[in-house]
Structures are given as structure tokens and as C-alpha cells.
Amino acid sequence: MPGIRGPSDYSQEPSRDPSLKINAKEPFNAEPPRSALVSSYVTPVHLFYKRNHGPIPIIDHIDNYSVSVTGLIDNPTKLFIKDIMSLPKYNVTATLQCAGNRRTAMSKVRNVRGVGWDVSAIGNAVWGGAKLADVLELLGIPKLTSSTGLGGRHVEFVSVDRCKEENGGPYKASIPLNQATNPEADVLLAYEMNGEILNRDHGYPLRLVVPGVIGARSVKWLDSINVIAEECQGFFMQKDYKMFPPSVNWDNIDWSSRRPQMDFPVQSAICSLEDVQMVKPGKVSIKGYAVSGGGRGIERVDISMDGGKSWVEASRTQKPGKDYISEHNSSDKWAWVLFEATIDVSQSTTEVIAKAVDSAANVQPENVESVWNLRGVLNTSWHRVLLRLGHSNL
């Protein structure tokens, strides 16, 4: 499209922080060290995980860049970046999480396919941009609309990003129209991240941000927006990112039997410690994140040192200096909470477990075996780390 293009090779990739753990180079997929996630409530841009499906698009002429809006609407049009920036700007603090976060733990049970993420395919940022509901209203679609007069019930977002799974075609995904037109859903056409213009890795010049939903639906490098009758038929909506039971394998899978995954389940992970870590006897600080999809708050984070027989409650925070109250108007409903607890380690080996409970009383499942699936998505089982007494800086 004019102004932006998807390269055919990886020779013009942007520079990245050397501390990132690279899980794949072409396309580039990387996550920060887990300890970096608990250093601040808002994840620095350079430490935000990177998930791509092809070479990073290149902007040739930003003034020529536009997004076409077509489909089952009365007034198809093109929107330039200045048109979107002329609408009221909103800043939404929201956590994005890849559906494959914590896949490596799932792969230890049985083999799975996908990028080998640890616990850091997640990040929390302040996204700035126009609400999608305002953009659609500009085009004649009122707020809180479930269907257009021409029968449009879903909104599809098509990227400049080209990927092999689409046989060289563009990455795309969709959300329901009633979500897209709901101002309270806080869906953004974002052009800023943490107060700065988006960088290339994170969708410059314009991306979708769908809070509370798996990261796969927050399409980067927008090319077009289409109002359609049925949900997007792209690969990543129909043949990926769906939740199957442990009994399904690659021989008996029926992709059409499951709906595309949208909200992510309640999740937590310990980030201040590695999976196996040497510590000195005495008090050890346990820090990590907890988050739930759909705008649900975190009601509790529990820590156990005896296999789940007894628990202590961790403290929870979001904004520094402010108490966190689940689903209170002072809290960021789309964002993670950071938790902390202090434990006393005296045994030669101690397994530390974290589990979160959200405001709907959803609880992380105890065992990864119960949620194992062939694509290794949505591993939200209790997070466990093993501490061993020895020489350590902790």
C-alpha cells in the first residue's frame, strides 16, 4: 500500500535490545528476562516481547500512509493518520500477552508446536490513540452497534505483515462489531506506546490494541479495516489459537469444532526467580505478575511452599504509591498487577508455587497436564519454581 511496505527478506530489521532472549530470528520473536518484568509496572518499550510473522514493514512516506475501511458499510473510505490523530486521544494501560506464553513448561509434558516462550511473552504498556468506536462512528456506525444495515457483524483488521501461514498473504484477525463499537471496551487504533510514537517492532505507524484479549487479535501495521458478516477466515483465526483438550492430536484435530480464542484466562508467574535457583537460607522475596482477561481484576495471589497444602496471600500493586483494589475505578482494569511476598527458606529444596484468583473467582488450574494442548497455548497452570540452598546473591 502507499507509504508502507512489507519487505521480502529480513535485511532491514530494526535494532533490538541485547538482553532479549531470542526464540526465533526469522521472523524475529523474543522476550525479556523474566526479572525485567517486575522492575516496573509499565514495561519499557525495549523490553516488551516481540512476536512477528514476517519481515518488519518499512515506512517510505508517512504522509501517504492510509487505512482503507470497506465492507458492509454505507461509506467506504480511506483514513489517513492525520484523520485518526484528529479524533480524541485516549491513553489506555493494557497488558498484552501471547497465547503461547509459558509454552516451554507445557512442552515438558508432551511435545507441542510453537515458539518456545518462557513466562515473558507478556508486557504492560500505556497505549495512546483513538478509540475504534469513535473511528467507526465517524464512518456512520453508531456506538453500541451489533449489526450494520448491510449485515456487518464483525470487524476484520488486515496487516501489511506477510506470513507463510497465509501463503504469503497478510496477517489478519477480527473482533465482533458490538465490541468494536463499545467505548467501554477501550479498543484503540494506537499510534503511541508509553508516550512515544510506536516503533517498527510494535506496529508503527498504526496498530490495533484489544485489551483483555490474546495478543494475536491486536493486529499491527494496519493496512485495511473491513466490516464483514462472519468472523475473519484467516489462518490465525480459524486454524490456530484455539483451545483443544489433551485428547486431540494432529491426526484427529477438527479446527472447525472450536471458536477462536479471545479473552485470556487468569494467569500468574513468579519472575524474581528462575525455574531452578540457588538461594541462601533465610528470607527470600517472591515477585511476579498476575492478570486476567476481559477486564476482570485480580482478587488474590496465593503463595505455597508445601505443594498447595497451605497458602499465604501476596500483596498486590499497580500504580506506585496507590493501593490496588480489584475492579475499583482507581485501578487499571485491563492491566496486570504485580505481586510480592516474603518467604523463609530453610529446607535443602523448596518448591514455591503461585496461583491467582480473578474477580469472577476463576482460579488457575493446578497441573499443566490438565490444560495441555497440541499448540501449547493458554498454559495458566500454577507456576512453580524450585529453590535449593547454596551460595547465591539473593
Side-chain angles (χ1 to χ4, degrees):
M1 66 175 296
I4 187 171
R5 57 187 170 89
S8 59
D9 58 42
Y10 294 90
S11 62
Q12 301 180 72
E13 294 288 280
S15 59
R16 279 101 177 197
D17 193 279
S19 70
L20 294 174
K21 175 189 173 185
I22 300 174
N23 294 323
K25 289 186 176 181
E26 295 183 359
F28 188 83
N29 294 291
E31 61 187 306
R34 60 171 67 176
S35 60
L37 294 182
V38 290
S39 62
S40 63
Y41 172 56
V42 174
T43 309
V45 173
H46 67 283
L47 293 176
F48 208 96
Y49 81 98
K50 304 179 193 315
R51 174 70 171 108
N52 305 311
H53 295 87
I56 303 300
I58 294 173
I59 306 299
D60 292 320
H61 302 287
I62 186 61
D63 291 339
N64 294 336
Y65 170 75
S66 64
V67 176
S68 62
V69 186
T70 63
L72 300 174
I73 56 176
D74 293 324
N75 302 302
T77 189
K78 283 188 176 182
L79 292 174
F80 290 85
I81 195 74
K82 62 180 176 60
D83 300 320
I84 295 166
M85 295 181 76
S86 70
L87 292 168
K89 178 189 171 186
Y90 292 86
N91 289 314
V92 176
T93 304
T95 298
L96 293 188
Q97 177 179 205
C98 180
N101 193 29
R102 297 183 58 200
R103 180 178 280 127
T104 51
M106 195 173 277
S107 67
K108 294 175 183 177
V109 174
R110 271 192 284 161
N111 189 44
V112 298
R113 292 184 187 176
V115 177
W117 298 112
D118 185 38
V119 304
S120 303
I122 187 171
N124 191 51
V126 181
W127 307 97
K131 286 196 177 183
L132 180 61
D134 288 345
V135 175
L136 294 176
E137 188 174 52
L138 189 67
L139 304 177
I141 304 175
K143 291 182 170 69
L144 303 177
T145 296
S146 296
S147 177
T148 66
L150 297 175
R153 300 182 66 86
H154 297 263
V155 185
E156 178 184 64
F157 305 88
V158 182
S159 176
V160 176
D161 189 17
R162 303 283 163 170
C163 45
K164 64 180 182 181
E165 293 88 351
E166 294 283 5
N167 297 314
Y171 184 95
K172 51 190 172 182
S174 67
I175 63 174
L177 181 64
N178 60 7
Q179 181 180 13
T181 58
N182 182 1
E184 296 300 314
D186 288 328
V187 180
L188 293 183
L189 294 188
Y191 45 81
E192 287 184 1
M193 182 180 181
N194 294 350
E196 301 177 353
I197 296 296
L198 287 170
N199 69 19
R200 286 179 58 203
D201 265 327
H202 294 294
Y204 178 76
L206 193 67
R207 68 170 296 163
L208 182 70
V209 174
V210 189
V213 169
I214 63 170
R217 312 307 176 210
S218 290
V219 178
K220 295 183 281 190
W221 311 293
L222 284 176
D223 179 30
S224 63
I225 299 172
N226 308 312
V227 179
I228 54 180
E230 304 294 336
E231 66 193 15
C232 170
Q233 295 301 299
F235 179 91
F236 294 98
M237 287 287 289
Q238 300 303 326
K239 293 191 175 182
D240 205 351
Y241 300 125
K242 294 183 177 184
M243 187 63 174
F244 286 93
S247 58
V248 171
N249 58 46
W250 293 106
D251 294 324
N252 64 16
I253 191 168
D254 177 6
W255 288 104
S256 65
S257 67
R258 295 291 188 277
R259 298 292 305 277
Q261 183 69 33
M262 301 302 282
D263 288 7
F264 50 77
V266 62
Q267 171 76 285
S268 72
I270 297 167
C271 298
S272 56
L273 302 166
E274 297 300 320
D275 287 336
V276 179
Q277 181 143 355
M278 303 293 289
V279 298
K280 296 176 181 178
K283 296 190 180 301
V284 174
S285 179
I286 307 296
K287 298 180 181 180
Y289 64 78
V291 67
S292 191
R296 294 177 289 277
I298 296 298
E299 197 65 33
R300 208 172 72 236
V301 179
D302 300 326
I303 305 295
S304 178
M305 297 170 57
D306 57 10
K309 295 177 183 177
S310 63
W311 302 86
V312 296
E313 187 173 349
S315 64
R316 294 159 296 140
T317 60
Q318 277 190 338
K319 305 164 190 173
K322 289 188 177 182
D323 292 335
Y324 170 78
I325 304 173
S326 175
E327 297 202 2
H328 190 267
N329 57 15
S330 65
S331 301
D332 294 326
K333 72 175 183 176
W334 305 114
W336 65 15
V337 302
L338 300 181
F339 67 82
E340 183 172 1
T342 301
I343 61 173
D344 200 345
V345 179
S346 58
Q347 298 179 348
S348 58
T349 60
T350 301
E351 184 184 58
V352 182
I353 300 171
K355 70 173 173 68
V357 183
D358 73 14
S359 56
N362 298 307
V363 186
Q364 291 177 254
E366 179 176 351
N367 297 310
V368 65
E369 290 84 357
S370 65
V371 292
W372 183 95
N373 58 90
L374 73 178
R375 271 290 280 118
V377 297
L378 304 181
N379 177 15
T380 57
S381 59
W382 294 358
H383 190 228
R384 305 164 187 263
V385 298
L386 186 66
L387 305 184
R388 291 178 175 160
L389 293 185
H391 296 289
S392 169
N393 293 324
L394 290 179

